[in-house]
Amino acid sequence: MEGLGIAANVIAVVDLAAKACGVVYQYAKSAKGCPKTVAQLQKELESVKISLDGLRGIADKFEAAVPSGEQPPVISQLSRELEECQTTLRALIKDLEGHFSNKLREKLGKRLKWPMREPEVMEFIQRLQRYQQNFEQALQADLATVALRTEVAVHEASVEIREVRSEQLQDIQDRAIVGKREKLSQLVKWLAPLHYNTKHENSFEKHQEGTGEWLFENDKFREWETSCPSILWIHGIPGCGKTILASCVIEKQQNKPPQECGFAYFYCQYSREETGNPSNIVRTLLAQLLLGLDCMDIEKAPTSDLFSKMEKGHGPPGDMKRLTELTVAAAALYQRSTIVIDGLDECPLDMRRPLLGLITHLPRLCNTRVLVMSRREVDIEDELEVFPTLSLEEEQVNLKEDMRKHIEEEFKDTKKWGHTFQTMQEEITDSLILGSGINMFRWLECQLSLLNRLRTPKAIREALENLPQTLFKTYDRMLKLIEEDQAGELAAKAFFLVAHVQKPLKLEQLVEAIAPTDENNHLDWSATFVDPWQLLGVCRGLLHPVRSKAKSEVYYYDSDDSDLDERTQGNDQSTSEFIHFCHYTVMEYLISNYLRTHEKHSKYVIEPKDDNQAAIKIAVLISKYLLLEDFSQPCFSDGELAQRVENFRFYEHCVVHWHVYIVKVKHEDSTLLELVDRFIFDSPGNLRSYHQMAYGRIDEQDELQVLYNDVFDRSYELSDAIFLLLIAYNCRWIVTRILERRPQLLDVDMCNFGPPLRIAVLGNHCDLATDILALGADIHIECRNLLPIYYYYKLY
């Protein structure tokens, strides 16, 4: 090997290291059971290659400086190290390529198994590290010998060695930073923060250029912005533009250099219940503060115990005290931090107190500015009145000027606002500004929407002369137009669904959901909107689509919790539009006593979210949908199932959330009981269709096109599984009434988890267990399966 020359040997090792790196990567991607150290092995192979690439030029200079036939002793040692390294790399390549090309394994379609145990991998890594260290030491030692022959060559070699060392050190530092960042990203993902940027993007998009600038010149705002710690509370009436102003502040803060201050923000939204949960809010703020840290401060972050819990598989922290401590510690790592919270009044009243506690204490504990925007609610005022406040009701002049700019910008869309409107722009603008009174942007948007429906100057002037004085009066006028379009029943059903569905619906889903059924219990497509966008046209100003990140959703059961744990996993897939109320005042209007007692429009009133009648109504609606004749037979091929999903967009929502709607009904209803009993026990075809949609696959039974009827299908396996679910989630009144109807189920071993009594006991549902005992359940019945009930959650 020495006869080949040091440089040639270095080249040979470089080539082998590159080949070994490729084989390890390809094998690790295809194999199962790879130790975590395989990634480290790949990095070490890359490092050896990089190191020897740099040393190759140095070796050339050594050979040029050393007379022919002479070989310094340390160079001889280096040659032996290179030879040993080649042997080791060849053995690794041969071993992995031998396993990888196993034809029988490929033919059987089995995944490769990593042939080396973790200790062997670690030993190989240590050997590579030793080779790399010896290469450098050998060349360093030979510097003294070569220096006696040529000072210039030694100097050049020394410079190159320092450069190689510098590059290696930089590479190590870069990899360490990347590793820290990756670990921090995993932690932030584990904290399960809510998506906060989508709402901001939607809000700031509505901002008209030139509006809101007065806020940044306001004395109170400037004092807040230049002081730290500090708190500023900005309050105003509904629809005065608070959220748009908040988006302007957030956009300005985001554009500041990250090293200057930490920054986090959150939008509370009435339409998303999860945004009113204090733990969710604080976790989201904490995640933003952690992500803003530079690599040096990551080490200082108070996250060691969080990493430990994450690695052990625990869930993210939910205790407000602990979350507050973590947020304070993260904010303290910056010179100063800024937190903006919009829509605090849109959080449920009983959940606002912990947030108010955080808001008032945070500036006292660290160098932090907090800006809060909300309506002037009593509990918020009690907590924040001692801090500087800015009332938007006192900024009428500035807000009216912003409204004028908004109208001017709106009228630039000449396609939307045709010739008639363009010629009347000044008249329309002046009438709207003068007629607005204390009303602001939401009122203005509604009036523009109503005006845009009109086609003649006379009709426009009549509308301007009779402007509604309040938002509720404005909504009255919108409902009147819906009645004139003869779409009252469809619109009322749409309002109810938007208010009470478990997850927001896409437009196609909503239009399908409001369709009635025909005399044969099929969905009557002719009785709903043929063009889904017609629904938004009819409900203009009340409903609108909102862009949101659509994810692939995985719903699973948490064995450590007695409640259903629905979580969304996976990366963002695409942006979709979901239907929401245009403003939270629309929801307030629809549940108000004002509308309930309205002489013409009371049929549009809907119940609040926590109302049991609303829970019954939507559970009945979903159950009826699942019992449609359209689903009375299962699909017999994947293609047929895919076509069903395409044709019935609302079906997937009903399948995923049906049991959630059932669980929410706390008081008895005979109609719902009949539907649930029929669905579980007397509609095998519908139940199998439900099962197919839930699992997204066709069973072997279905491929054989088994006909479902009362005579043939009596296994009850799937029925038992669904009934078991209702017991496990303590649907007490439904379970009790079904067992009264079907006493033969009292002692049935359901899916090998025992009879209903045992399932209720394991779920710690004492009242339900007492009811089942009272119905005559056998307490002495033997149960072969002794698995706890939470194993079923994973199975189902």
Side-chain angles (χ1 to χ4, degrees):
M1 176 171 171
E2 292 179 6
L4 296 175
I6 290 294
N9 291 332
V10 169
I11 292 172
V13 176
V14 168
D15 292 341
L16 283 170
K19 185 175 181 181
C21 188
V23 172
V24 169
Y25 171 77
Q26 194 67 26
Y27 205 105
K29 194 166 72 170
S30 305
K32 64 179 180 179
C34 293
K36 295 180 180 178
T37 48
V38 172
Q40 186 180 350
L41 170 61
Q42 188 177 350
K43 290 181 180 178
E44 289 299 333
L45 287 168
E46 292 172 352
S47 183
V48 168
K49 180 180 176 300
I50 293 170
S51 176
L52 290 178
D53 271 333
L55 294 176
R56 182 165 50 187
I58 300 172
D60 287 333
K61 289 183 172 58
F62 281 148
E63 290 183 344
V66 176
S68 178
E70 294 187 21
Q71 188 72 276
V74 185
I75 288 295
S76 298
Q77 175 64 29
L78 178 60
S79 296
R80 288 191 292 273
E81 293 286 348
L82 287 167
E83 184 178 11
E84 185 181 340
C85 185
Q86 285 193 60
T87 302
T88 302
L89 291 173
R90 285 195 184 101
L92 174 66
I93 293 169
K94 182 179 179 182
D95 190 25
L96 293 182
E97 285 185 337
H99 280 76
F100 196 76
S101 60
N102 188 312
K103 299 298 182 182
L104 179 59
R105 189 181 304 274
E106 291 179 3
K107 184 176 181 180
L108 293 176
K110 295 181 178 179
R111 291 194 65 191
L112 299 170
K113 185 176 181 181
W114 183 254
M116 302 170 67
R117 293 191 298 271
E118 188 155 354
E120 295 174 324
V121 178
M122 286 302 301
E123 181 183 350
F124 195 89
I125 290 170
Q126 292 168 3
R127 203 182 307 168
L128 288 175
Q129 292 171 342
R130 177 171 57 80
Y131 290 150
Q132 191 171 342
Q133 184 179 6
N134 289 343
F135 295 157
E136 294 182 10
Q137 288 177 350
L139 290 175
Q140 277 185 317
D142 276 338
L143 278 176
T145 304
V146 177
L148 298 174
R149 302 199 175 153
T150 169
E151 184 177 349
V152 174
V154 170
H155 176 70
E156 291 177 353
S158 298
V159 170
E160 291 197 28
I161 286 176
R162 284 197 296 271
E163 289 176 353
V164 170
R165 282 180 175 173
S166 177
E167 290 175 2
Q168 287 181 326
L169 180 61
Q170 185 62 47
D171 179 61
I172 292 171
Q173 291 175 343
D174 290 344
R175 281 192 285 169
I177 291 172
V178 170
K180 291 176 182 177
R181 278 286 171 202
E182 289 177 352
K183 194 173 181 182
L184 183 64
S185 296
Q186 292 174 358
L187 178 68
V188 168
K189 184 178 179 181
W190 172 76
L191 284 172
L194 301 180
H195 284 297
Y196 50 89
N197 59 320
T198 305
K199 173 63 176 177
H200 172 66
E201 291 168 3
N202 292 336
S203 299
F204 191 68
E205 187 178 292
K206 297 178 182 178
H207 169 251
Q208 300 287 357
E209 187 175 353
T211 62
E213 294 179 355
W214 58 269
L215 176 62
F216 302 111
E217 301 300 322
N218 182 277
D219 291 339
K220 290 183 178 180
F221 184 87
R222 293 177 69 177
E223 182 180 355
W224 169 81
E225 194 174 30
T226 55
S227 304
C228 200
S230 59
I231 293 178
L232 178 62
W233 176 34
I234 299 179
H235 60 78
I237 63 173
C240 67
K242 297 184 292 296
T243 296
I244 306 303
L245 284 175
S247 72
C248 294
V249 175
I250 291 168
E251 193 69 15
K252 181 182 178 183
Q253 294 293 325
Q254 284 183 323
N255 291 330
K256 290 185 176 181
Q259 64 270 21
E260 183 176 336
C261 65
F263 180 61
Y265 66 90
F266 194 85
Y267 291 89
C268 304
Q269 303 169 60
Y270 76 96
S271 59
R272 294 180 59 198
E273 290 185 19
E274 65 272 22
T275 67
N277 184 296
S279 297
N280 289 341
I281 295 172
V282 181
R283 277 203 302 268
T284 304
L285 296 174
L286 172 61
Q288 293 175 73
L289 291 172
L290 290 176
L291 285 174
L293 295 172
D294 60 35
C295 58
M296 299 302 293
D297 289 327
I298 290 175
E299 296 289 345
K300 304 174 186 176
T303 54
S304 57
D305 64 323
L306 296 182
F307 279 119
S308 175
K309 290 181 179 179
M310 178 180 70
E311 290 166 357
K312 291 178 181 178
H314 295 176
D319 178 62
M320 277 296 292
K321 182 179 179 182
R322 178 57 179 151
L323 285 171
T324 300
E325 292 172 352
L326 291 167
T327 304
V328 170
L333 294 174
Y334 298 91
Q335 291 183 357
R336 56 183 178 273
S337 298
T338 303
I339 292 176
V340 177
I341 299 177
D342 174 63
L344 183 60
D345 56 289
E346 296 188 39
C347 291
L349 183 61
D350 59 336
M351 293 188 177
R352 290 206 288 253
R353 182 165 294 280
L355 279 175
L356 287 167
L358 172 68
I359 290 167
T360 55
H361 284 87
L362 197 58
R364 301 174 188 172
L365 301 173
C366 58
N367 210 27
T368 303
R369 296 184 291 241
V370 180
L371 175 65
V372 179
M373 289 193 166
S374 74
R375 286 193 276 188
R376 194 172 182 174
E377 300 285 354
V378 174
D379 62 315
I380 300 176
E381 186 171 13
D382 288 344
E383 290 288 339
L384 301 182
E385 63 181 353
V386 297
F387 300 101
T389 62
L390 196 164
S391 172
L392 295 181
E393 295 176 21
E394 298 174 3
E395 301 294 334
Q396 290 282 322
V397 174
N398 289 318
L399 290 172
K400 296 297 183 185
E401 184 59 30
D402 283 352
M403 290 170 67
R404 187 177 294 276
K405 292 178 181 178
H406 179 81
I407 297 172
E408 291 175 0
E409 190 67 27
E410 180 76 16
F411 269 73
K412 289 181 181 179
D413 185 352
T414 55
K415 186 176 180 180
K416 179 179 179 181
W417 302 95
H419 178 72
T420 301
F421 289 105
Q422 296 296 327
T423 58
M424 299 179 66
Q425 179 178 345
E426 185 175 349
E427 180 182 352
I428 292 171
T429 302
D430 291 340
S431 297
L432 289 174
I433 298 299
L434 291 173
S436 61
I438 64 170
N439 298 294
M440 296 295 172
F441 287 94
R442 174 58 190 157
W443 179 89
L444 177 62
E445 287 178 354
C446 293
Q447 306 317 314
L448 289 172
S449 177
L450 289 167
L451 287 173
N452 192 247
R453 296 169 178 254
L454 306 177
R455 294 294 174 262
T456 66
K458 181 179 180 180
I460 294 170
R461 289 192 175 96
E462 287 180 353
L464 292 173
E465 290 171 0
N466 297 281
L467 290 171
Q469 297 304 302
T470 66
L471 271 177
F472 278 17
K473 292 290 185 182
T474 301
Y475 296 148
D476 285 346
R477 188 168 295 186
M478 290 179 171
L479 293 185
K480 180 182 177 183
L481 292 174
I482 290 175
E483 290 291 329
E484 292 175 0
D485 287 334
Q486 298 182 346
E489 290 186 11
L490 293 176
K493 197 171 179 181
F495 296 152
F496 172 78
L497 283 166
V498 171
H500 291 291
V501 285
Q502 184 69 16
K503 298 289 182 182
L505 300 176
K506 296 180 182 179
L507 181 57
E508 294 82 0
Q509 291 177 308
L510 182 59
V511 169
E512 179 185 334
I514 63 178
T517 56
D518 60 21
E519 63 276 8
N520 297 316
N521 199 31
H522 288 279
L523 211 59
D524 188 356
W525 294 98
S526 66
T528 187
F529 297 99
V530 177
D531 178 3
W533 287 95
Q534 289 179 320
L535 172 63
L536 296 185
V538 168
C539 300
R540 189 189 308 179
L542 299 171
L543 298 178
H544 72 153
V546 176
R547 288 197 311 275
S548 180
K549 293 292 184 182
K551 286 187 170 187
S552 56
E553 294 183 326
V554 178
Y555 297 88
Y556 63 93
Y557 302 103
D558 186 351
S559 60
D560 297 325
D561 195 339
S562 62
D563 292 319
L564 180 66
D565 185 13
E566 288 185 2
R567 300 183 186 175
T568 306
Q569 298 178 328
N571 296 323
D572 289 349
Q573 301 296 320
S574 61
T575 299
S576 299
E577 291 188 332
F578 297 88
I579 307 303
H580 293 269
F581 291 121
C582 291
H583 197 258
Y584 65 96
T585 53
V586 177
M587 178 69 170
E588 291 180 328
Y589 169 73
L590 292 172
I591 66 173
S592 67
N593 287 327
Y594 168 87
L595 184 60
R596 192 175 299 276
T597 58
H598 199 285
E599 60 180 355
K600 295 181 179 179
H601 303 317
S602 59
K603 72 175 183 181
Y604 293 97
V605 73
I606 59 178
E607 298 80 7
K609 284 183 176 292
D610 56 354
D611 186 86
N612 189 68
Q613 288 303 312
I616 292 172
K617 186 175 178 180
I618 195 164
V620 167
L621 185 151
I622 300 297
S623 299
K624 284 182 176 179
Y625 184 93
L626 293 176
L627 284 165
L628 287 173
E629 280 299 308
D630 302 88
F631 314 124
S632 61
Q633 287 290 319
C635 298
F636 302 130
S637 68
D638 289 334
E640 190 179 343
L641 180 61
Q643 190 62 49
R644 175 172 284 180
V645 173
E646 178 67 22
N647 293 342
F648 297 92
R649 303 290 182 88
F650 187 50
Y651 192 28
E652 184 178 6
H653 177 93
C654 294
V655 168
V656 171
H657 300 293
W658 172 73
H659 57 282
V660 181
Y661 291 118
I662 299 300
V663 168
K664 287 186 174 182
V665 178
K666 301 302 181 184
H667 303 292
E668 295 192 27
D669 181 78
S670 58
T671 301
L672 180 59
L673 177 63
E674 291 289 341
L675 292 169
V676 172
D677 183 78
R678 180 153 58 94
F679 175 62
I680 296 177
F681 297 105
D682 296 328
S683 305
N686 293 80
L687 198 61
R688 180 64 67 183
S689 295
Y690 168 92
H691 179 264
Q692 285 180 344
M693 181 65 74
Y695 277 81
R697 68 168 186 262
I698 305 299
D699 291 342
E700 291 183 5
Q701 266 190 316
D702 302 324
E703 291 174 354
L704 296 174
Q705 299 195 23
V706 175
L707 296 177
Y708 287 86
N709 53 62
D710 290 340
V711 176
F712 189 87
D713 187 14
R714 305 307 297 170
S715 67
Y716 291 114
E717 182 178 345
L718 190 54
S719 296
D720 289 351
I722 302 297
F723 189 53
L724 189 154
L725 183 68
L726 297 184
I727 301 171
Y729 286 102
N730 198 23
C731 298
R732 181 184 176 188
W733 71 270
I734 290 182
V735 171
T736 303
R737 295 294 171 256
I738 287 177
L739 289 175
E740 286 177 348
R741 292 176 168 212
R742 302 175 182 271
Q744 70 275 15
L745 296 175
L746 280 170
D747 299 325
V748 171
D749 185 357
M750 297 195 165
C751 304
N752 293 325
F753 290 97
L757 177 60
R758 182 172 183 271
I759 298 168
V761 170
L762 287 173
N764 199 29
H765 306 317
C766 300
D767 291 339
L768 177 56
T770 302
D771 291 344
I772 296 174
L773 275 173
L775 292 173
D778 185 356
I779 197 171
H780 302 294
I781 192 169
E782 294 185 5
C783 301
R784 292 175 299 170
N785 192 316
L786 299 178
L787 288 175
I789 190 61
Y790 57 72
Y791 279 89
Y792 174 75
Y793 298 163
K794 297 179 181 178
L795 175 66
Y796 182 65

